[in-house]
């Protein structure tokens, strides 16, 4: 067990904060003054340090670069109107991190290292939390294999790190989505349910092709029949059909168990909708669109929060939506923002004080 006092802290001599305008930030391009780094060696975690943000020295034979034993999480910190810092549901991300670690044959990270390390790092760089609407401090914990060996086998050494990026919205406009029929993101028995770095790299080819056609992201379909919807880009997806909210279920291990997905399900229930977590086919979506019962389509994710979909294209069939007339997705988005920034009661205890 890593005790809180075992984290050594070296402060940056000078803060880079004044060089940055915290009011108008892209996603994930700037990083705060400090980072956390820990090593896994001889079966235990050691050398836990918070130190100035800096490049890593690595060998060209470092295993993660070759075979992709690398996982990550995305978490956000906010400030309320009193200036107090809070992190949104960090324990849920911690649990998912170790599920990813297990699937990628990597060591578990102890709760105290992840949670207390993150808390101390965010506390040190708390001035980097933006206050502007739709902005936050994006927390990126990650782990990668660090053996200097190119034999294909699980590494014996790993690095766990946390970096912080003050960020604006990931997608700031309603999105146009291309329903992907050829390439797939995940198969049953695969790694679709974990945050393996390679899942994101493997998605880039199809996404680039959709972008050439003028679309922002793809809607992934199941690998066998190309019939059932899975996820949109880096997000889970919800369809409001009639008085129900439908989102793909997690049974097959092809869908990421999103923390924003879980939070959205909770808030949709509070709004009074019936939630169905189940397979949903593209034919059923088109039928509902034609019948006028497909009211809203939106993606959920830590980086993206709630992103409305204004167009879905399947083959040559285009479905368009008047997002300005929607009620549900904007309500969930507002409630989430209000809880995060302290304007709405945090009755589910989602906010952890730093
Ligand atoms: C997140 O929402 O944290 C994600 O995983 C998206 C990220 C790849 C930008």
């Amino acid at each position: 067990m890593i005790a809180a006092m075992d984290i050594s802290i070296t402060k940056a001599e000078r803060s880079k904060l004044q060089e940055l305008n915290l009011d108008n930030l892209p996603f994930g391009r700037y990083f705060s003054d400090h980072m956390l780094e820990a090593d896994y060696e001889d079966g235990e975690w050691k050398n836990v340090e918070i130190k100035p943000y800096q490049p890593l020295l690595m060998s060209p034979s470092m295993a993660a670069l070759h075979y992709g034993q690398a996982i990550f999480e995305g978490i956000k910190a906010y400030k309320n109107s009193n200036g107090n810092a809070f992190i949104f549901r960090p324990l849920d991300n911690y649990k998912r991190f170790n599920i990813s670690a297990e699937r990628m044959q990597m060591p578990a990270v102890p709760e105290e290292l992840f949670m207390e390390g993150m808390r101390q790092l965010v506390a040190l760089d708390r001035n980097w939390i933006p206050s502007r609407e739709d902005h936050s401090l994006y927390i990126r914990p990650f782990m990668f294999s660090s053996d200097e060996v190119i034999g294909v086998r699980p590494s014996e050494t790993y690095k766990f790190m946390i970096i912080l990026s003050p960020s604006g919205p990931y997608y700031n406009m309603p999105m146009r989505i291309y329903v992907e029929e050829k390439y797939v993101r995940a198969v049953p028995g695969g790694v679709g349910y974990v945050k393996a770095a390679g899942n994101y790299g493997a998605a880039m080819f199809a996404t680039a092709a959709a972008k050439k056609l003028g679309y922002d992201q793809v809607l992934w379909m199941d690998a066998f029949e190309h019939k059932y919807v899975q996820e949109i880009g880096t997000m889970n997806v919800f369809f409001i059909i009639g008085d129900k909210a439908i989102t793909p279920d997690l049974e097959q291990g092809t869908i990421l168990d999103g923390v924003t997905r879980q939070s959205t399900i909770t808030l949709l229930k509070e709004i009074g909708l019936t939630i169905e977590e189940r397979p949903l086919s593209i034919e059923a979506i088109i039928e509902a669109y034609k019948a006028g019962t497909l009211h809203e389509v939106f993606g959920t994710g830590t980086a993206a929060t709630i992103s409305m979909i204004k167009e879905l294209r399947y083959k040559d069939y285009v479905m368009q939506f008047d997002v300005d007339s929607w009620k549900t997705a904007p309500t969930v988005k507002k409630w989430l923002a209000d809880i995060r920034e302290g304007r709405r009661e945090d009755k589910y205890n989602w906010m952890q004080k730093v």
Side-chain angles (χ1 to χ4, degrees), residues 60 91 137 245 271 326 339 341:
L91 199 58
L137 187 66
I271 290 173
W326 290 1
I339 293 168
E341 284 146 40

Side-chain angles (χ1 to χ4, degrees), residues 85-269:
F86 292 86
I87 304 176
F88 185 73
R89 303 191 72 171
L91 199 58
D92 296 272
N93 293 86
Y94 165 67
K95 289 179 185 155
R96 191 174 63 185
F97 191 77
N98 277 345
I99 291 171
S100 300
E102 184 184 29
R103 181 64 180 81
M104 296 302 289
Q105 194 54 38
M106 299 167 91
V109 170
E111 182 173 328
E112 198 175 3
L113 167 55
F114 190 102
M115 298 294 288
E116 182 59 19
M118 173 166 54
R119 195 196 63 73
Q120 290 199 30
L121 181 64
V122 173
L124 186 60
D125 281 349
R126 60 188 303 129
N127 293 341
W128 287 81
I129 305 176
S131 341
R132 186 172 162 190
E133 201 188 336
D134 282 340
H135 286 53
S136 59
L137 187 66
Y138 185 79
I139 305 170
R140 171 54 63 89
F142 59 107
M143 175 177 21
F144 55 90
S145 55
S146 54
D147 276 8
E148 298 176 7
V149 177
I150 55 169
V152 182
R153 57 153 178 76
S155 190
E156 283 163 9
T157 61
Y158 294 85
K159 245 186 212 306
F160 170 66
M161 301 190 64
I162 308 180
I163 54 176
L164 307 175
S165 176
S167 289
Y170 196 76
Y171 304 115
N172 44 17
M173 300 283 279
M175 299 168 78
R176 299 178 68 218
I177 300 298
Y178 185 84
V179 181
E180 177 57 55
E181 303 168 74
K182 181 173 176 194
Y183 302 106
V184 298
R185 175 186 172 275
V187 294
V191 295
Y193 67 103
V194 301
K195 279 188 96 70
N199 284 351
Y200 295 79
M204 288 178 190
F205 184 75
T207 310
K211 284 194 175 163
K212 277 195 199 132
L213 297 173
Y215 289 85
D216 299 302
Q217 278 293 342
V218 299
L219 170 56
W220 299 105
M221 310 281 277
D222 76 282
F224 297 133
E225 297 179 81
H226 299 282
K227 182 174 169 189
Y228 296 100
V229 300
Q230 291 190 335
E231 290 186 23
I232 288 185
T234 63
M235 302 182 289
N236 294 115
V237 62
F238 286 78
F239 295 82
I240 310 279
I241 300 181
D243 59 358
K244 292 185 178 133
I246 306 170
T247 191
D249 60 271
L250 308 176
E251 301 301 312
Q252 303 250 307
T254 53
I255 308 284
L256 191 79
D257 183 3
V259 176
T260 311
R261 176 186 182 277
Q262 291 165 16
S263 311
T264 298
I265 289 174
T266 303
L267 296 181
L268 287 170
K269 284 185 185 154

Side-chain angles (χ1 to χ4, degrees), residues 239-242 246 280-295 317 319 321:
F239 295 82
I240 310 279
I241 300 181
I246 306 170
L280 178 63
S281 70
I282 189 70
E283 284 90 359
I285 291 165
I286 292 173
E287 258 172 50
Y289 179 77
K290 287 184 175 160
T293 54
L294 174 55
H295 303 307
Y317 190 71
M319 293 171 261
F321 305 95

Side-chain angles (χ1 to χ4, degrees), residues 297-316:
V297 186
F298 56 94
T300 67
T302 298
T305 62
I306 306 287
S307 289
M308 332 268 171
I309 309 301
K310 68 173 180 190
E311 182 176 321
L312 263 185
R313 171 170 157 195
Y314 178 60
K315 300 184 196 271
D316 287 330

